[in-house]
Amino acid sequence: MRSAFGRSLEPRERRTIAVGATVVALAAVVVLGVLPLARGWSERESLIAATRERLARVESIVGREAQLAEQTRAMEARLDAGGTRLVRARTLALAASTLQSMVREYARSSVVSVTRLDAAGAPIAIGGTTFALPATISAQGDIYGIADFLRRLQYGPSLVELTDLTIAPNPVLRGNLLQVSIGLRAPIALEQ
Amino acid sequence: MSGRAGVELTPQVVRVVRLAPYTRRVAQTIEIPWDPLRPADAVAALRSRAGRPRSISLAVGLGFLEVMRVDLPPVAPDERVRMIDLEPDRFFAAAGRESLVTTLAPESPIAFGAPAALIAAWIAAFETWAPVDWVEPAPIATARVLARQRDGAWRIEAGEDETGVLQIEHGRIASVRRARDAAAGSGARAVPAIAATPAPFAAALGAAKWQPRDARGVPSLAAAPWRRRLAARRRTAIAAAAIMAIMGIVFAIWAADRWRERTLAALEDRISRIETQAAPADTALRMLRSREAEAATIGDVVTNRADPFGALAAISAALPREATVLSARASGNLWQIDGTTSDASTLVPRLDRHARFDSVRFLSASSRYRDANRSYETFSIALRFRPQP
C-alpha cells in the first residue's frame, strides 16, 4: 500500500488505517443494520403482544353476548338508581350542545337569566380515557333562584363538578338581583 | 472427515497420531520406517493407511536438530528469531556448512536449528497429503504433553546411538541435550504413556494437539516464505470462518425474523376469523366497560368534588343574623366572603368553631362606618369548606 505522497506506508500506519476502517465498518453495521433491526423487532414484539392480548380477550367473550348484555343491563339499572349519570353523546360537540341545553333548562326552571354560557373549551382529561367538558356561566337572578340553580347543577340528573363560583350584587340592576359566575366541568361518556 | 494429525519425523521412523474430528481424542497411531531423503514414499504409505487428515503438524525429531542456549535482548520472540536468522553461524556451528531454519522454544532461551533444504522438502511432501499448518522441534511438542505431568528431566529420542534429555522447569523448556554417551540420560525419566497413547508417540501427540495460541509469538521451524504462506493461509482460514460465522448469524436472524413475522401473521389471521363471531359479544362488552367506567367516574367525582351549594348553606347558617354578605367567591372548596356586620371580630371565632370550616382568617382590615345611627364593620374572610364533615 502506498500513501498519497508516493512512499510506502509504515506497518504502524497500515495498522492505524485498518483499525480505523474496522471501526467505521462496525459503526456502519451497527447504525445501518443492528439498530434499525432491533427497533423494528421491538415494535413487532409489542404488536404481537398486543395482538395476543386482543385475541385472548376476543376468545374469552365469544358466545357470552347474553351474559354480557345482562351484566350491562344490571349496571345500567344500578347507575339509574344512583340518580346521577354522565352527559352522554356521540361526539364532543354533541356533548357540549347537550350540556348547554341542560344548563339553559336548569336556568329556566330556577328563574335565572343566563347572560353568557361558554361550553366551547377544550375537553380536560380526568384520568384514564375519561374527559370532562369545561363550561363557564354568567347569570342573574335573586338569591332563591340562584340557590335553586346551584342545587340543580350540583344534584341534577347529569353529573357536574362546580369548580368556581362568584356571587355579588350587581349595582346596575334594580331590586335584589345578584350576579353569579360559575365555572364547571361535566364529565362525559362518548357513545361508541 | 478425519481430524487433525501430528507427525513426528525421526531419522529412522515417522510416527503419526491422528485425532478424532470433534472430540480431539486419539483415533489412530501409526509408525512406519522412512528415508528422510525420500519423504514422498512415507507420505504415500501414510495416505494409504490413514486417509486424509484435515491438517498436519510436523514435529522435527531431535536427531535432525541443532540446539543452542542463546542470550538475546528481551524483545518479542519473532524478533529474537530474526536476530538468529541474521547470523545463524554465530549460534549454530552447522550453519557454516548448510542453510538452517531456526526457531525458539516458547518463553525459553533454547534455540533450535534444522537443515532448511530437508524441512522444505518434507513440507512439500506432506503438503501433498494434507495442509501443513505448523512445523516445530519435537522437544517442544513433547514438552507440550509432558507439562501436564510435572517438571524434571525426561529421556527423549534423538539420533542413532544418541540419547536426548529434555529438562522442563516450571512448565517451560530449560534445556535440551543430545549426547552419544548413554549415561547422559541416567538421571532422566523415560517419557510415560500419555493416556492410552504409547510413550514413543508423545511428540506426535504434542504436535497433533498444537493450537495457534501455543506458539506464543514464536515462528514455525521453517523458511520465511513458507511462514508467510502459512500466515496468509491462516488469515484466509480466519476470514473464511468469520464470513461463515457472519453468514450463520445473518441467516439465524433472518430465520428468527421470518418466524416472528409468521407468528404475527397467524395471530392476525386468527383474530380476523374470530372477530366476526365475537362482534355482538364485543359490542356488549364495550357497553359494559363503558358503564363500569361511568360508575367509577361518578363515584370518584361525587366523592371529591366541591359542594358550593352546601357551602353557601353552611355559611348562611353560621353567620349572625345582622351580618350581610355582599359577595362570595369560591374556587373549589376555598371561599372568600365579603360583607358587613356590627362586630366583625366575632366572625372568625364563630366560623372557626363550625365543624365544616377550617383555615378561617381575615383577608383585609375591617373598616367601621355609621349608617342611620348604627355602626357597621366591613369584613373579608377566607375559609376552607369541608364537603364531608
Side-chain angles (χ1 to χ4, degrees):
Chain A
M1 191 187 287
R2 299 185 76 80
S3 74
F5 303 105
R7 69 172 172 82
S8 298
L9 292 174
E10 296 292 328
R12 198 180 61 179
E13 294 169 329
R14 280 201 290 271
R15 273 199 301 276
T16 306
I17 290 170
V19 169
T22 307
V23 169
V24 168
L26 279 175
V29 167
V30 169
V31 171
L32 301 176
V34 176
L35 291 181
L37 181 74
R39 207 161 28 237
W41 188 285
S42 169
E43 283 168 7
R44 187 176 49 204
E45 287 303 308
S46 304
L47 188 58
I48 287 174
T51 310
R52 277 215 171 100
E53 200 175 309
R54 191 164 138 228
L55 180 63
R57 188 178 64 81
V58 170
E59 279 178 339
S60 70
I61 61 170
V62 169
R64 289 178 52 208
E65 49 266 35
Q67 181 193 353
L68 291 167
E70 180 54 38
Q71 287 179 347
T72 308
R73 274 194 295 275
M75 178 60 76
E76 192 81 31
R78 223 180 84 198
L79 286 167
D80 287 340
T84 305
R85 298 293 300 266
L86 299 191
V87 173
R88 205 164 256 289
R90 277 190 297 108
T91 63
L92 289 170
L94 289 175
S97 175
T98 305
L99 180 62
Q100 282 181 324
S101 302
M102 182 188 80
V103 170
R104 297 268 182 214
E105 177 58 33
Y106 288 170
R108 197 164 31 250
S109 303
S110 305
V111 197
V112 166
S113 169
V114 174
T115 53
R116 187 170 180 276
L117 173 55
D118 179 9
I124 304 160
I126 55 168
T129 55
T130 312
F131 290 91
L133 277 178
T136 55
I137 305 165
S138 296
Q140 294 165 356
D142 62 15
I143 184 65
Y144 303 106
I146 286 173
D148 187 57
F149 185 50
L150 285 175
R151 186 186 57 77
R152 286 175 190 274
L153 286 172
Q154 183 83 8
Y155 303 118
S158 291
L159 184 67
V160 166
E161 182 182 5
L162 301 176
T163 54
D164 301 288
L165 174 71
T166 304
I167 303 175
N170 191 334
V172 178
L173 302 172
R174 294 189 172 195
N176 294 319
L177 290 183
L178 298 170
Q179 176 77 37
V180 63
S181 295
I182 301 169
L184 60 84
R185 289 191 303 198
I188 55 169
L190 291 178
E191 290 171 343
Q192 295 166 350
Chain B
M1 183 182 176
S2 294
R4 186 177 157 73
V7 180
E8 184 193 14
L9 307 172
T10 74
Q12 291 81 33
V13 297
V14 175
R15 296 191 185 93
V16 176
V17 169
R18 193 167 59 77
L19 301 180
Y22 300 103
T23 61
R24 291 178 62 82
R25 290 186 178 160
V26 175
Q28 190 179 16
T29 57
I30 303 168
E31 179 178 311
I32 59 168
W34 79 317
D35 179 356
L37 299 176
R38 300 179 62 188
D41 296 345
V43 168
L46 289 172
R47 184 185 293 118
S48 67
R49 289 183 59 176
R52 187 175 188 278
R54 183 170 55 84
S55 61
I56 301 170
S57 259
L58 297 180
V60 179
L62 185 57
F64 296 111
L65 298 174
E66 299 287 328
V67 185
M68 185 58 63
R69 185 182 190 87
V70 295
D71 188 16
L72 295 169
V75 292
D78 58 334
E79 288 296 329
R80 284 193 287 158
V81 172
R82 206 169 292 146
M83 289 175 188
I84 297 170
D85 285 342
L86 201 63
E87 294 179 290
D89 51 344
R90 190 178 147 195
F91 301 97
F92 299 107
R97 298 190 302 273
E98 59 184 336
S99 174
L100 296 182
V101 288
T102 62
T103 191
L104 280 165
E107 300 174 345
S108 167
I110 306 300
F112 297 93
L118 272 183
I119 297 287
W122 295 342
I123 290 172
F126 278 93
E127 285 268 352
T128 64
W129 184 25
V132 176
D133 58 11
W134 193 246
V135 184
E136 65 183 345
I140 297 177
T142 306
R144 186 171 301 126
V145 290
L146 281 178
R148 294 175 188 170
Q149 307 285 324
R150 56 178 180 266
D151 292 350
W154 302 92
R155 205 161 46 246
I156 60 172
E157 191 174 340
E160 202 173 352
D161 302 328
E162 287 182 340
T163 301
V165 177
L166 168 64
Q167 181 81 32
I168 300 175
E169 288 178 7
H170 308 300
R172 296 172 189 167
I173 295 177
S175 71
V176 178
R177 284 178 286 131
R178 11 185 326 198
R180 291 198 175 277
D181 183 6
S186 59
R189 285 168 292 170
V191 172
I194 310 296
T197 308
F201 288 89
L205 178 63
K209 289 195 178 270
W210 176 84
Q211 292 177 356
R213 67 168 180 267
D214 292 333
R216 293 175 202 173
V218 175
S220 185
L221 183 66
W226 188 83
R227 286 178 190 160
R228 283 197 294 273
R229 204 166 63 237
L230 177 66
R233 192 191 295 166
R234 196 169 296 146
R235 277 198 299 272
T236 306
I238 290 170
I243 289 169
M244 293 301 289
I246 289 168
M247 284 174 63
I249 290 168
V250 168
F251 181 75
I253 291 172
W254 179 80
D257 186 68
R258 293 295 89 201
W259 166 54
R260 299 310 285 162
E261 202 63 46
R262 280 197 305 276
T263 303
L264 180 59
L267 279 171
E268 285 176 342
D269 179 52
R270 203 165 149 205
I271 211 165
S272 68
R273 274 188 281 114
I274 204 168
E275 260 182 346
T276 316
Q277 308 170 33
D282 193 44
T283 307
L285 182 66
R286 281 173 202 275
M287 288 179 69
L288 178 60
R289 293 276 178 271
S290 165
R291 299 307 182 270
E292 285 172 348
E294 183 177 350
T297 303
I298 290 170
D300 188 47
V301 171
V302 167
T303 306
N304 298 311
R305 69 179 168 177
D307 181 10
F309 182 75
L312 278 176
I315 289 167
S316 297
L319 289 174
R321 292 184 63 82
E322 69 272 17
T324 304
V325 175
L326 297 175
S327 73
R329 186 176 302 140
S331 178
N333 287 315
L334 300 176
W335 284 82
Q336 178 184 342
I337 49 176
D338 302 293
T340 61
T341 184
S342 56
D343 186 0
S345 64
T346 62
L347 292 183
V348 169
R350 190 181 182 110
L351 290 168
D352 195 58
R353 278 197 300 274
H354 200 283
R356 302 194 70 177
F357 302 135
D358 63 15
S359 306
V360 182
R361 66 194 186 279
F362 280 116
L363 284 177
S364 63
S366 180
S367 304
R368 176 179 281 264
Y369 66 96
R370 289 187 67 80
D371 184 24
N373 295 327
R374 288 194 63 185
S375 294
Y376 294 95
E377 290 178 0
T378 61
F379 65 86
S380 177
I381 292 176
L383 56 85
R384 198 177 79 83
F385 177 68
R386 293 184 188 137
Q388 293 174 345

